[in-house]
Amino acid sequence: MTSQSKNNRLLPLTVIEAAAGGDVEAINAVLKHYAGYIARLSMRELYDEYGNPHLCVYEVLRRRLETKLITKLLTFRVR
């Protein structure tokens, strides 16, 4: 992976600063950026009535992780 493609995955500092300042659009941009990661952390193996396992996003956990991210964003101080 080249240095250029790694930088494309980073959030711009202006978005982080705006999110830390409470800008709703910037907070949504941060949530969108981390949506896949949060979904992956929220995956749980559930079983149907026949005992077959299924991977599903546990919505309660996903919302808790999003809320925690927003809380930390709003207390984040950019130097």
Side-chain angles (χ1 to χ4, degrees), residues 15-29:
V15 173
I16 295 169
E17 288 173 335
D23 184 319
V24 176
E25 288 183 32
I27 291 171
N28 286 332

Side-chain angles (χ1 to χ4, degrees), residues 9-65:
R9 295 185 302 164
L10 298 176
L11 282 170
L13 181 59
T14 56
V15 173
I16 295 169
E17 288 173 335
D23 184 319
V24 176
E25 288 183 32
I27 291 171
N28 286 332
V30 173
L31 287 174
K32 183 179 177 185
H33 181 79
Y34 287 106
Y37 180 62
I38 289 172
R40 180 66 189 114
L41 290 174
S42 304
M43 293 294 265
R44 295 293 177 254
E45 191 172 87
L46 303 176
Y47 297 90
D48 63 14
E49 64 271 12
Y50 303 107
N52 299 320
H54 298 279
L55 283 178
C56 299
V57 173
Y58 184 47
E59 290 296 323
V60 173
L61 181 55
R62 185 179 66 81
R63 287 289 181 196
R64 289 180 71 191
L65 289 171

